[in-house]
Amino acid sequence: MNESKRRALVLGGTGAVGSAVLTELARAGIPSAFTYHHEEARARALEHELSARPLKLDLADPAALGRLVASLEAEGALPDVVIHCAAIVRPARVFEATDDDWEATMAVNARSVFQVCREFGRRLEGRGGDLLFVSALDRTQSLPVPAVFAASQGTTSALVMAAAKELGPRGVRANVVALGLLDAGIGKELDSKLADEYKSFSALRRLGTPEEAAKTITWLALHNTYANGKVFSANGGI
């Protein structure tokens, strides 16, 4: 597919990884839109800096993503590259987490993944496209992260691996990039002791950066033509 004709949507574009992904897409000359929830000022700054289109979206609203995709389709701006970088972390331990912690985390981190597969799987048949989902676990690790958050990440990987079997015949690739701890974003919200432990087990002995993560993510989104339904680890060698 000719990159010059591609169009991207980044969910969670004001986050550390999302904004780095938008920067890489701008370098590649890909027209992009991105979603944000609370960070209006950051969204406007990215719009000015990267000429990317900000779209306010609350992923906790089960109907919001469907409305947004339908609106983009109606105006002839349906993307064929969708990169899902949105996530929240509720840090409560499993015996202290509430039902609200579970519902909120799964809505933003997991239900929206299902909705992306459904909404774009419906619309991209024949046209083709790439759906990339950013996760934090590659299904082989047992790391001391909040259990509710881990559940949402495991759901993402299993869902995408299965959905790709249905999306592939429609010309749509769906893959996951499982990141290690970064020195920004969600990585800053976790216990600093976890970061030190992570570095001790990392082959590179350091945390990653959003810019490094974005290079892997955008390469898969723009250049991969054959890998489908896979979880790619970009974690410094854990």
Side-chain angles (χ1 to χ4, degrees):
M1 187 177 293
N2 189 337
E3 277 188 25
S4 65
K5 296 182 179 179
R6 308 203 77 179
R7 184 188 301 269
L9 172 66
V10 178
L11 301 183
T14 54
V17 174
S19 57
V21 167
L22 284 169
T23 299
E24 287 297 314
L25 291 170
R27 287 192 183 120
I30 305 298
S32 301
F34 67 95
T35 70
Y36 69 99
H37 187 202
H38 296 299
E39 296 190 54
E40 180 86 28
R42 176 62 175 155
R44 297 304 169 191
L46 287 169
E47 178 184 26
H48 177 74
E49 177 186 351
L50 303 174
S51 298
R53 178 185 179 187
L55 302 165
K56 191 166 187 177
L57 178 70
D58 180 5
L59 289 174
D61 177 353
L65 185 57
R67 288 195 301 264
L68 175 64
V69 178
S71 175
L72 291 172
E73 182 181 36
E75 64 181 72
L78 188 71
D80 64 297
V81 176
V82 181
I83 302 174
H84 187 311
C85 300
I88 63 170
V89 176
R90 296 282 182 94
R93 291 175 290 185
V94 68
F95 47 82
E96 297 172 335
T98 65
D99 288 347
D100 181 68
D101 289 331
W102 175 270
E103 296 295 339
T105 301
M106 295 302 285
V108 174
N109 298 4
R111 182 181 65 203
S112 63
V113 171
F114 155 67
Q115 291 176 325
V116 166
C117 291
R118 180 185 66 193
E119 298 301 326
F120 288 96
R122 288 172 174 171
R123 292 171 167 88
L124 291 176
E125 183 175 17
R127 179 181 174 187
D130 288 271
L131 312 179
L132 257 290
F133 302 91
V134 177
S135 180
L137 297 171
D138 68 4
R139 304 182 309 116
T140 65
Q141 301 157 332
S142 180
L143 298 175
V145 297
V148 173
F149 175 73
S152 71
Q153 304 304 284
T155 298
T156 292
S157 295
L159 193 159
V160 171
M161 290 175 70
K165 298 292 187 181
E166 301 177 33
L167 296 172
R170 304 174 75 88
V172 178
R173 292 169 293 272
N175 291 292
V176 176
V177 176
L179 300 177
L181 277 184
L182 305 181
D183 62 7
I186 287 175
K188 289 289 190 181
E189 299 178 35
L190 300 179
D191 191 327
S192 60
K193 292 181 180 178
L194 174 61
D196 291 337
E197 182 179 353
Y198 187 93
K199 286 186 282 189
S200 72
F201 285 102
S202 167
L204 295 179
R205 297 295 191 270
R206 65 174 176 85
L207 303 185
T209 69
E211 292 74 21
E212 288 174 312
K215 290 181 187 300
T216 300
I217 293 163
T218 53
W219 187 91
L220 282 166
L222 300 179
H223 301 296
N224 166 54
T225 59
Y226 194 50
N228 198 19
K230 298 301 179 185
V231 179
F232 294 92
S233 297
N235 57 21
I238 291 295

